[in-house]
Amino acid sequence: MNTKSFNNQRLNRSFFSGEDVVAISKALLGKYLVTNFEDQYCSGKIVETEAYRGPDDKACHAYNNLRTKRTETMYQQAGTSYVYLCYGIHHLFNIVTAKENMAHAILIRAIEPVENVELMLERRQFKALKSQLTAGPGVMSKALGINKNHNGLDLCSLQSPIWLESRGLDIKESEILSTPRVGVAYAKECALWPWRFRIKGNKWTSPAK
DNA sequence: CACGGGATCGTCT
DNA sequence: GACGATCCCGTGT
């Protein structure tokens, strides 16, 4: 069924368990995000991520350890998915990191389409392949078939329809472009933190400014 | 290419 | 009742 070779390795709990959400956000660049919903398999290489760190990050939903029905997912164990609705339209996909009750999460913002591109084109109703297919957290989720029903999944479980893989590619620090996060002006001084990470020069990210 | 607005609804105050 | 971790399309240049 799934296209796999011996050097494809599922990312396990320990990958996500660390305290340093910035380091994990960078380490996710070049890893593969895979979805397989009802035998509809597709995958892409992660090229853009963003770090959110409760309780001290004003841009994080869990700022000041805010606990609500929505944010509760961010306090779960490392490797849990956090998917929420943004602007009433877009489903944004995050991965929870750090130990339980420490609300860190990483927003996956863009992938380079790799396997079953036709399926992603169909979900987006695109006729031709271009970077807008998966550049941006809302459209990426749509292409991968991710919605808020996939909130709270254990991405490290072999049963999960969403998972992450290393396929032997390592992105060096010198290949990473760090810039401030967008759309978080309300977060005041935290909005300046350079916690948006991209693979330098990669055409599948949103264009650098 | 830059900007500006509308879509659309869950979440929090 | 206001607003948002976005996107797309229209207008003007």
Side-chain angles (χ1 to χ4, degrees):
Chain A
M1 75 163 222
N2 297 347
T3 313
K4 286 191 170 164
S5 67
F6 65 92
N7 63 338
N8 290 1
Q9 196 163 19
R10 284 278 295 261
L11 298 188
N12 57 26
R13 190 93 51 216
S14 65
F15 184 92
F16 302 107
S17 297
E19 296 282 313
D20 188 348
V21 68
V22 165
I24 304 171
S25 298
K26 292 179 183 175
L28 273 174
L29 295 173
K31 301 300 188 288
Y32 287 74
L33 176 57
V34 186
T35 64
N36 187 15
F37 302 118
E38 295 163 1
D39 278 332
Q40 300 270 78
Y41 174 92
C42 65
S43 71
K45 185 172 89 179
I46 297 172
V47 296
E48 183 169 341
T49 62
E50 218 164 67
Y52 288 88
R53 190 182 70 193
D56 57 320
D57 173 9
K58 291 184 181 174
C60 181
H61 292 159
Y63 172 59
N64 204 19
N65 276 324
L66 178 71
R67 277 188 185 258
T68 65
K69 192 172 178 188
R70 177 176 68 162
T71 63
E72 201 54 38
T73 307
M74 294 184 77
Y75 295 87
Q76 292 183 17
Q77 69 176 339
T80 301
S81 64
Y82 174 47
V83 184
Y84 73 95
L85 186 63
C86 183
Y87 293 100
I89 302 173
H90 305 288
H91 304 267
L92 304 206
F93 174 76
N94 301 250
I95 304 169
V96 173
T97 66
K99 64 189 177 198
E100 222 172 322
N101 292 316
M102 179 65 74
H104 294 181
I106 299 164
L107 172 66
I108 310 300
R109 296 190 53 92
I111 58 167
E112 172 178 338
V114 177
E115 290 167 294
N116 208 351
V117 177
E118 317 78 58
L119 175 61
M120 294 189 247
L121 289 170
E122 187 187 323
R123 284 176 175 146
R124 292 271 285 130
Q125 304 194 12
F126 271 40
K127 294 196 179 76
L129 182 57
K130 46 188 171 188
S131 66
Q132 290 95 304
L133 181 70
T134 52
V139 295
M140 182 204 79
S141 291
K142 186 169 184 190
L144 290 171
I146 295 174
N147 61 59
K148 67 192 172 78
N149 296 322
H150 304 121
N151 181 46
L153 295 177
D154 177 8
L155 304 174
C156 301
S157 157
L158 293 175
Q159 268 65 256
S160 175
I162 308 175
W163 68 91
L164 293 116
E165 291 179 10
S166 170
R167 298 189 180 177
L169 178 65
D170 260 336
I171 305 297
K172 294 193 284 278
E173 183 74 31
S174 62
E175 300 175 87
I176 299 175
L177 179 65
S178 306
T179 62
R181 297 168 295 183
V182 291
V184 295
Y186 63 89
K188 307 283 177 65
E189 72 277 7
C190 303
L192 298 175
W193 296 352
W195 283 7
R196 181 190 195 183
F197 309 102
R198 283 180 278 211
I199 297 179
K200 251 180 219 174
N202 187 288
K203 67 168 275 198
W204 298 97
T205 72
S206 40
K209 295 199 182 85

Short mmCIF file of all heavy atoms in Angstrom, two decimals, chain A residues 13 69-84 92-96 146-157 160-162:
data_model
loop_
_atom_site.label_atom_id
_atom_site.label_comp_id
_atom_site.label_asym_id
_atom_site.label_seq_id
_atom_site.Cartn_x
_atom_site.Cartn_y
_atom_site.Cartn_z
N ARG A 13 7.83 9.68 19.26
CA ARG A 13 7.53 10.62 20.35
C ARG A 13 8.75 11.45 20.74
O ARG A 13 8.63 12.65 21.00
CB ARG A 13 7.04 9.83 21.57
CG ARG A 13 6.49 10.67 22.69
CD ARG A 13 5.00 10.88 22.61
NE ARG A 13 4.28 9.63 22.46
CZ ARG A 13 3.18 9.50 21.73
NH1 ARG A 13 2.66 10.53 21.10
NH2 ARG A 13 2.58 8.33 21.63
N LYS A 69 -11.74 24.90 26.11
CA LYS A 69 -12.04 23.67 25.39
C LYS A 69 -11.13 23.54 24.17
O LYS A 69 -10.61 22.48 23.85
CB LYS A 69 -13.52 23.67 24.95
CG LYS A 69 -13.99 22.34 24.45
CD LYS A 69 -15.50 22.37 24.23
CE LYS A 69 -15.97 21.02 23.67
NZ LYS A 69 -17.38 21.06 23.26
N ARG A 70 -10.92 24.66 23.46
CA ARG A 70 -10.08 24.62 22.27
C ARG A 70 -8.62 24.36 22.60
O ARG A 70 -7.97 23.50 22.01
CB ARG A 70 -10.19 25.95 21.49
CG ARG A 70 -9.27 25.97 20.29
CD ARG A 70 -9.42 27.21 19.43
NE ARG A 70 -8.97 28.44 20.08
CZ ARG A 70 -8.68 29.55 19.43
NH1 ARG A 70 -8.80 29.62 18.13
NH2 ARG A 70 -8.29 30.62 20.08
N THR A 71 -8.07 25.11 23.54
CA THR A 71 -6.63 25.02 23.80
C THR A 71 -6.22 23.74 24.54
O THR A 71 -5.04 23.43 24.61
CB THR A 71 -6.13 26.23 24.62
OG1 THR A 71 -6.77 26.21 25.91
CG2 THR A 71 -6.45 27.53 23.91
N GLU A 72 -7.18 23.04 25.09
CA GLU A 72 -6.88 21.84 25.86
C GLU A 72 -5.97 20.88 25.08
O GLU A 72 -5.07 20.26 25.65
CB GLU A 72 -8.19 21.13 26.25
CG GLU A 72 -8.07 20.19 27.43
CD GLU A 72 -7.48 20.86 28.67
OE1 GLU A 72 -7.78 22.05 28.95
OE2 GLU A 72 -6.69 20.20 29.35
N THR A 73 -6.16 20.80 23.78
CA THR A 73 -5.34 19.90 22.94
C THR A 73 -3.85 20.23 23.05
O THR A 73 -3.00 19.35 23.02
CB THR A 73 -5.77 20.02 21.46
OG1 THR A 73 -7.17 19.81 21.38
CG2 THR A 73 -5.06 18.99 20.61
N MET A 74 -3.54 21.51 23.18
CA MET A 74 -2.13 21.92 23.21
C MET A 74 -1.41 21.44 24.47
O MET A 74 -0.18 21.46 24.52
CB MET A 74 -2.01 23.44 23.11
CG MET A 74 -2.49 23.99 21.80
SD MET A 74 -2.23 25.77 21.67
CE MET A 74 -0.48 25.84 21.35
N TYR A 75 -2.19 21.05 25.48
CA TYR A 75 -1.58 20.58 26.73
C TYR A 75 -1.38 19.07 26.74
O TYR A 75 -0.88 18.51 27.69
CB TYR A 75 -2.45 20.99 27.93
CG TYR A 75 -2.52 22.49 28.12
CD1 TYR A 75 -3.49 23.25 27.45
CD2 TYR A 75 -1.63 23.15 28.96
CE1 TYR A 75 -3.55 24.62 27.61
CE2 TYR A 75 -1.69 24.52 29.13
CZ TYR A 75 -2.66 25.26 28.44
OH TYR A 75 -2.71 26.61 28.61
N GLN A 76 -1.77 18.41 25.64
CA GLN A 76 -1.64 16.96 25.59
C GLN A 76 -0.18 16.56 25.29
O GLN A 76 0.69 17.39 25.14
CB GLN A 76 -2.60 16.39 24.55
CG GLN A 76 -4.06 16.55 24.98
CD GLN A 76 -5.05 15.94 24.00
OE1 GLN A 76 -4.69 15.14 23.15
NE2 GLN A 76 -6.31 16.33 24.11
N GLN A 77 0.04 15.27 25.17
CA GLN A 77 1.41 14.78 25.01
C GLN A 77 2.01 15.19 23.65
O GLN A 77 1.28 15.48 22.69
CB GLN A 77 1.44 13.26 25.15
CG GLN A 77 0.76 12.55 24.01
CD GLN A 77 0.88 11.04 24.12
OE1 GLN A 77 1.77 10.52 24.79
NE2 GLN A 77 -0.01 10.32 23.46
N ALA A 78 3.33 15.20 23.60
CA ALA A 78 4.05 15.53 22.36
C ALA A 78 3.61 14.59 21.25
O ALA A 78 3.37 13.40 21.48
CB ALA A 78 5.55 15.39 22.60
N GLY A 79 3.49 15.14 20.05
CA GLY A 79 3.09 14.32 18.91
C GLY A 79 1.60 14.30 18.69
O GLY A 79 1.11 13.60 17.80
N THR A 80 0.86 15.10 19.45
CA THR A 80 -0.59 15.21 19.24
C THR A 80 -0.86 16.27 18.17
O THR A 80 -0.16 17.28 18.10
CB THR A 80 -1.28 15.62 20.57
OG1 THR A 80 -1.00 14.64 21.55
CG2 THR A 80 -2.79 15.75 20.39
N SER A 81 -1.87 16.04 17.35
CA SER A 81 -2.23 17.06 16.36
C SER A 81 -3.13 18.10 16.99
O SER A 81 -3.97 17.79 17.84
CB SER A 81 -2.98 16.40 15.18
OG SER A 81 -4.20 15.86 15.63
N TYR A 82 -2.92 19.36 16.60
CA TYR A 82 -3.80 20.45 17.04
C TYR A 82 -4.31 21.14 15.78
O TYR A 82 -3.56 21.80 15.07
CB TYR A 82 -3.00 21.43 17.92
CG TYR A 82 -3.76 22.68 18.32
CD1 TYR A 82 -5.07 22.61 18.82
CD2 TYR A 82 -3.17 23.94 18.22
CE1 TYR A 82 -5.75 23.75 19.19
CE2 TYR A 82 -3.85 25.09 18.61
CZ TYR A 82 -5.14 24.99 19.09
OH TYR A 82 -5.81 26.12 19.46
N VAL A 83 -5.58 20.93 15.48
CA VAL A 83 -6.18 21.49 14.27
C VAL A 83 -7.34 22.39 14.70
O VAL A 83 -8.19 21.97 15.48
CB VAL A 83 -6.71 20.39 13.33
CG1 VAL A 83 -7.25 21.03 12.04
CG2 VAL A 83 -5.63 19.38 13.01
N TYR A 84 -7.34 23.60 14.22
CA TYR A 84 -8.44 24.51 14.58
C TYR A 84 -8.86 25.33 13.38
O TYR A 84 -8.13 25.44 12.39
CB TYR A 84 -8.03 25.40 15.76
CG TYR A 84 -7.05 26.46 15.35
CD1 TYR A 84 -7.49 27.74 15.00
CD2 TYR A 84 -5.71 26.17 15.27
CE1 TYR A 84 -6.61 28.70 14.59
CE2 TYR A 84 -4.82 27.13 14.86
CZ TYR A 84 -5.27 28.39 14.53
OH TYR A 84 -4.38 29.34 14.11
N LEU A 92 -6.18 24.90 10.30
CA LEU A 92 -4.73 24.98 10.41
C LEU A 92 -4.19 23.81 11.21
O LEU A 92 -4.67 23.50 12.30
CB LEU A 92 -4.29 26.30 11.06
CG LEU A 92 -4.76 27.61 10.42
CD1 LEU A 92 -3.79 28.73 10.76
CD2 LEU A 92 -4.94 27.53 8.93
N PHE A 93 -3.16 23.17 10.66
CA PHE A 93 -2.59 21.95 11.24
C PHE A 93 -1.32 22.24 12.03
O PHE A 93 -0.36 22.81 11.51
CB PHE A 93 -2.28 20.95 10.12
CG PHE A 93 -1.57 19.72 10.59
CD1 PHE A 93 -2.25 18.72 11.28
CD2 PHE A 93 -0.21 19.56 10.34
CE1 PHE A 93 -1.58 17.58 11.71
CE2 PHE A 93 0.46 18.41 10.76
CZ PHE A 93 -0.23 17.42 11.45
N ASN A 94 -1.33 21.84 13.30
CA ASN A 94 -0.17 22.01 14.19
C ASN A 94 0.21 20.68 14.81
O ASN A 94 -0.62 19.76 14.90
CB ASN A 94 -0.52 22.94 15.36
CG ASN A 94 -0.96 24.32 14.96
OD1 ASN A 94 -0.26 25.29 15.16
ND2 ASN A 94 -2.15 24.43 14.40
N ILE A 95 1.46 20.63 15.29
CA ILE A 95 1.92 19.46 16.05
C ILE A 95 2.31 19.93 17.45
O ILE A 95 3.11 20.85 17.61
CB ILE A 95 3.13 18.81 15.38
CG1 ILE A 95 2.79 18.43 13.93
CG2 ILE A 95 3.58 17.57 16.17
CD1 ILE A 95 4.01 18.02 13.12
N VAL A 96 1.73 19.30 18.46
CA VAL A 96 2.04 19.64 19.85
C VAL A 96 3.41 19.07 20.21
O VAL A 96 3.74 17.94 19.82
CB VAL A 96 0.96 19.04 20.79
CG1 VAL A 96 1.35 19.23 22.26
CG2 VAL A 96 -0.39 19.68 20.50
N ILE A 146 -6.88 17.56 5.41
CA ILE A 146 -6.95 17.70 6.87
C ILE A 146 -8.05 18.69 7.25
O ILE A 146 -8.17 19.75 6.65
CB ILE A 146 -5.60 18.20 7.43
CG1 ILE A 146 -4.51 17.15 7.18
CG2 ILE A 146 -5.71 18.54 8.91
CD1 ILE A 146 -3.11 17.62 7.57
N ASN A 147 -8.87 18.33 8.25
CA ASN A 147 -9.87 19.25 8.78
C ASN A 147 -9.93 19.12 10.29
O ASN A 147 -9.20 18.32 10.88
CB ASN A 147 -11.23 19.03 8.13
CG ASN A 147 -11.75 17.64 8.41
OD1 ASN A 147 -11.93 17.25 9.56
ND2 ASN A 147 -11.99 16.87 7.35
N LYS A 148 -10.81 19.91 10.92
CA LYS A 148 -10.78 19.96 12.39
C LYS A 148 -11.20 18.66 13.05
O LYS A 148 -11.00 18.48 14.25
CB LYS A 148 -11.60 21.14 12.91
CG LYS A 148 -13.08 21.07 12.66
CD LYS A 148 -13.71 22.43 12.96
CE LYS A 148 -15.17 22.47 12.54
NZ LYS A 148 -16.08 21.80 13.45
N ASN A 149 -11.77 17.74 12.27
CA ASN A 149 -12.06 16.41 12.82
C ASN A 149 -10.78 15.66 13.15
O ASN A 149 -10.81 14.64 13.84
CB ASN A 149 -12.89 15.59 11.84
CG ASN A 149 -14.25 16.21 11.62
OD1 ASN A 149 -14.86 16.74 12.54
ND2 ASN A 149 -14.73 16.16 10.38
N HIS A 150 -9.65 16.13 12.63
CA HIS A 150 -8.38 15.47 12.88
C HIS A 150 -7.65 16.12 14.05
O HIS A 150 -6.45 15.91 14.23
CB HIS A 150 -7.52 15.49 11.62
CG HIS A 150 -8.22 14.89 10.43
ND1 HIS A 150 -8.46 15.57 9.26
CD2 HIS A 150 -8.77 13.66 10.27
CE1 HIS A 150 -9.11 14.78 8.41
NE2 HIS A 150 -9.31 13.63 8.99
N ASN A 151 -8.35 16.88 14.83
CA ASN A 151 -7.77 17.47 16.04
C ASN A 151 -7.58 16.39 17.10
O ASN A 151 -8.42 15.50 17.24
CB ASN A 151 -8.70 18.55 16.59
CG ASN A 151 -8.15 19.22 17.83
OD1 ASN A 151 -6.97 19.58 17.87
ND2 ASN A 151 -8.98 19.37 18.85
N GLY A 152 -6.44 16.44 17.81
CA GLY A 152 -6.23 15.54 18.94
C GLY A 152 -5.78 14.13 18.58
O GLY A 152 -5.81 13.24 19.42
N LEU A 153 -5.32 13.91 17.36
CA LEU A 153 -4.80 12.59 16.98
C LEU A 153 -3.40 12.40 17.54
O LEU A 153 -2.63 13.36 17.67
CB LEU A 153 -4.73 12.46 15.45
CG LEU A 153 -6.04 12.48 14.66
CD1 LEU A 153 -5.72 12.40 13.16
CD2 LEU A 153 -6.93 11.33 15.08
N ASP A 154 -3.05 11.16 17.83
CA ASP A 154 -1.68 10.83 18.21
C ASP A 154 -0.91 10.49 16.93
O ASP A 154 -1.03 9.39 16.39
CB ASP A 154 -1.67 9.65 19.17
CG ASP A 154 -0.24 9.25 19.53
OD1 ASP A 154 0.70 9.97 19.14
OD2 ASP A 154 -0.07 8.21 20.20
N LEU A 155 -0.12 11.44 16.47
CA LEU A 155 0.58 11.28 15.19
C LEU A 155 1.69 10.25 15.26
O LEU A 155 2.25 9.86 14.23
CB LEU A 155 1.17 12.64 14.75
CG LEU A 155 0.16 13.79 14.66
CD1 LEU A 155 0.87 15.10 14.36
CD2 LEU A 155 -0.89 13.49 13.59
N CYS A 156 2.02 9.81 16.47
CA CYS A 156 3.06 8.79 16.63
C CYS A 156 2.47 7.38 16.65
O CYS A 156 3.20 6.39 16.65
CB CYS A 156 3.84 9.03 17.92
SG CYS A 156 4.63 10.66 17.97
N SER A 157 1.16 7.29 16.67
CA SER A 157 0.51 5.98 16.66
C SER A 157 0.53 5.39 15.26
O SER A 157 0.36 6.10 14.27
CB SER A 157 -0.95 6.12 17.13
OG SER A 157 -1.72 5.04 16.65
N SER A 160 -2.58 6.10 13.22
CA SER A 160 -2.96 7.45 12.82
C SER A 160 -3.00 7.61 11.30
O SER A 160 -2.11 7.15 10.60
CB SER A 160 -1.98 8.46 13.41
OG SER A 160 -2.29 9.75 12.93
N PRO A 161 -4.02 8.30 10.77
CA PRO A 161 -4.09 8.57 9.33
C PRO A 161 -3.17 9.73 8.90
O PRO A 161 -3.07 10.04 7.72
CB PRO A 161 -5.56 8.94 9.12
CG PRO A 161 -5.99 9.52 10.42
CD PRO A 161 -5.22 8.78 11.49
N ILE A 162 -2.57 10.38 9.88
CA ILE A 162 -1.60 11.45 9.61
C ILE A 162 -0.32 11.10 10.35
O ILE A 162 -0.37 10.72 11.51
CB ILE A 162 -2.10 12.83 10.12
CG1 ILE A 162 -3.51 13.13 9.62
CG2 ILE A 162 -1.13 13.93 9.72
CD1 ILE A 162 -4.10 14.42 10.21
#
